Structures are given as C-alpha cells and as structure tokens.
Amino acid sequence: MKPEIFLKSIALFDSLNPDDTERLAALLRKRSLKKGEVLFRKGDEGNTLYIVRKGSVKIVLPSRTGDEFLPAIFAEGDFFGEMALLDGMPRSADAVALEQTEVLALNRRDFLAFLKNNERAIQAIFSYLSMRLRKTDDLLEDAHFLTIPTRFARRLVELAKKYGRIGENDNIAIDLRLNQSDLASMVGTTRESINKELRVLRERDIVHMAGSKIRVLNMERLERRAHL
C-alpha cells in the first residue's frame, strides 16, 4: 500500500485533500525494527511522531527497581510520540518493538506545520489526547480498587476488542505477540500471578495461551470475570 493511501486510513490524516496527503507522505521516513529493538528511551529528545505501518510497539514505563508498567500498545494504523512534539519535553517512556515492525516517522517541524494548516487534525489530536488521559485514569482506578483477576480480565477484554480476530468456533485470537511478562506489566503485577490466572482461565475454558498466542474461548464469561 502506498504511504498516501495508508495515511488516508488514519483518523489524524483522513481530512487531507489528495495533494496535501501526497506532500505529507513524501515527508515520512520509514524505519524497520527487530523484535525487542528500542525505538526510543525515556528521557530522549522528542522530535518525531511515529505511525505504525506493520507490527506493534509497546510503551514501557521503567522503574529504578527494574519493574515495568506497560500502559499502551500500538499496532497498525496507530500513531504515538505526539506529546513530546507538542510540549517540547523529553520522552516520558520507552518504546519497544513487540515483533518485526515498520514505522513511519514524521519530524517535529513538519508535524507542527501540518497541524497549523489543518483544523480537523488539531481536533483529532485533542480527542486522542483526551482518550489517552481517560485511559490513564481508568488504569489508576483499576489498580487501586480492583483485584488482580479482575484487572487481568479487563486487559484481555480490551486486547480482544481492539486486536482480536474471530476464528474457528467463534474463538477470538488476539493478534499481538505478548508473553507473560508483557501481560504482567500491563496489569501491574508479577509474572507468577499472571501464570496463575492463565491457568485458572484455561481450566475454565475461558482463555488459552500457547507461547505468545492468546485465544479468548468465551468472551461472555471473560467479561463477567472483568465485571463489565
């Protein structure tokens, strides 16, 4: 797919006319990442917006003790890195490829010029930032008031709804390569706790995980477990 056609499939850029889309596409720079490769680190200068064209990227908040929290995952069509471009501050987290990934990069000067001439794109950015803030509030609320089983079930429901593909017997395959450590970082717990929860879910025929492949076998029961 040509870059200009790909851009039109993304909410941030779908209001551009063909000429502007073509000009913006010419400014994008492709970068390929291997699984586990770091795109940027917390504290790095933020001068680039990234759009995921293939694969997926996890956003990681590291701690001094070596623990990690994984607040977001971005897959094909998602964009990230815009906050540092808007406020001029350093990166607030790490970005790491979950698998073989291709991103398109737009530098700060071109990004700001694009926003300046596109009111609808500005509205899309504000809407996106508002959604991310609400998501952060939800994560904080869950961490304080919900048990690990409920939090884990909620993360699995979210992943299934955003990245799931319906397969045989209405199973939902989550189209991301996540290991148990990644899942633990998303929930804010230990790998051992996630292993225990996966065993419970497997025994109840709700979720099955083999390697990095997760399948939701019974979405209704998973949502009930998540209190949704």
Side-chain angles (χ1 to χ4, degrees):
M1 184 187 298
K2 293 182 179 180
E4 55 267 29
I5 297 175
F6 177 68
L7 285 180
K8 293 297 287 185
S9 68
I10 300 171
L12 181 59
F13 306 106
D14 65 2
S15 63
L16 292 177
N17 62 50
D19 289 340
D20 287 341
T21 302
E22 189 171 343
R23 280 195 290 269
L24 186 63
L27 298 172
L28 298 173
R29 296 294 175 262
K30 183 175 72 174
R31 179 170 173 182
S32 298
L33 302 168
K34 297 178 181 179
K35 179 181 178 180
E37 185 174 349
V38 176
L39 181 60
F40 55 75
R41 291 283 190 192
K42 181 179 181 180
D44 287 352
E45 182 182 1
N47 53 19
T48 307
L49 171 80
Y50 293 100
I51 307 162
V52 182
R53 189 167 188 183
K54 296 178 183 177
S56 54
V57 174
K58 62 180 179 180
I59 302 301
V60 181
L61 291 171
S63 73
R64 294 180 181 178
T65 61
D67 296 325
E68 294 181 343
F69 178 56
L70 202 165
I73 294 174
F74 298 108
E76 182 177 335
D78 291 330
F79 62 90
F80 62 96
E82 75 291 336
M83 289 183 66
L85 270 65
L86 293 171
D87 63 17
M89 299 294 287
R91 298 294 188 189
S92 58
D94 299 347
V96 184
L98 276 169
E99 56 190 309
Q100 186 76 27
T101 297
E102 181 182 301
V103 297
L104 301 174
L106 180 66
N107 70 42
R108 187 172 193 267
R109 180 187 59 193
D110 295 329
F111 174 69
L112 293 179
F114 158 68
L115 289 184
K116 182 178 180 181
N117 297 314
N118 194 312
E119 182 178 347
R120 183 169 172 181
I122 294 174
Q123 293 174 348
I125 281 285
F126 284 155
S127 176
Y128 184 74
L129 290 176
S130 176
M131 179 185 69
R132 285 184 58 181
L133 287 172
R134 290 178 182 275
K135 173 67 174 176
T136 300
D137 288 344
D138 289 342
L139 290 173
L140 289 172
E141 183 178 356
D142 288 356
H144 279 84
F145 299 113
L146 299 181
T147 64
I148 290 173
T150 304
R151 298 205 312 265
F152 184 40
R154 288 197 174 190
R155 298 294 86 77
L156 289 177
V157 168
E158 290 170 4
L159 291 172
K161 288 184 175 180
K162 185 171 183 179
Y163 304 108
R165 292 181 294 102
I166 298 178
E168 189 176 343
N169 299 321
D170 290 330
N171 291 348
I172 300 175
I174 296 175
D175 199 15
L176 290 173
R177 295 186 177 276
L178 298 170
N179 56 39
Q180 291 187 19
S181 296
D182 292 327
L183 294 172
S185 296
M186 293 181 70
V187 177
T189 187
T190 64
R191 184 182 180 279
E192 290 74 20
S193 294
I194 292 300
N195 185 275
K196 176 182 176 182
E197 290 306 313
L198 283 169
R199 186 165 59 249
V200 171
L201 293 173
R202 183 175 61 248
E203 290 172 351
R204 298 182 181 181
D205 292 326
I206 298 175
V207 171
H208 178 74
M209 183 173 185
S212 60
K213 296 181 179 180
I214 306 171
R215 285 187 298 119
V216 177
L217 309 179
N218 193 314
M219 187 65 162
E220 183 179 348
R221 292 178 64 190
L222 183 63
E223 289 180 331
R224 285 205 302 267
R225 190 173 177 85
H227 301 311
L228 295 173

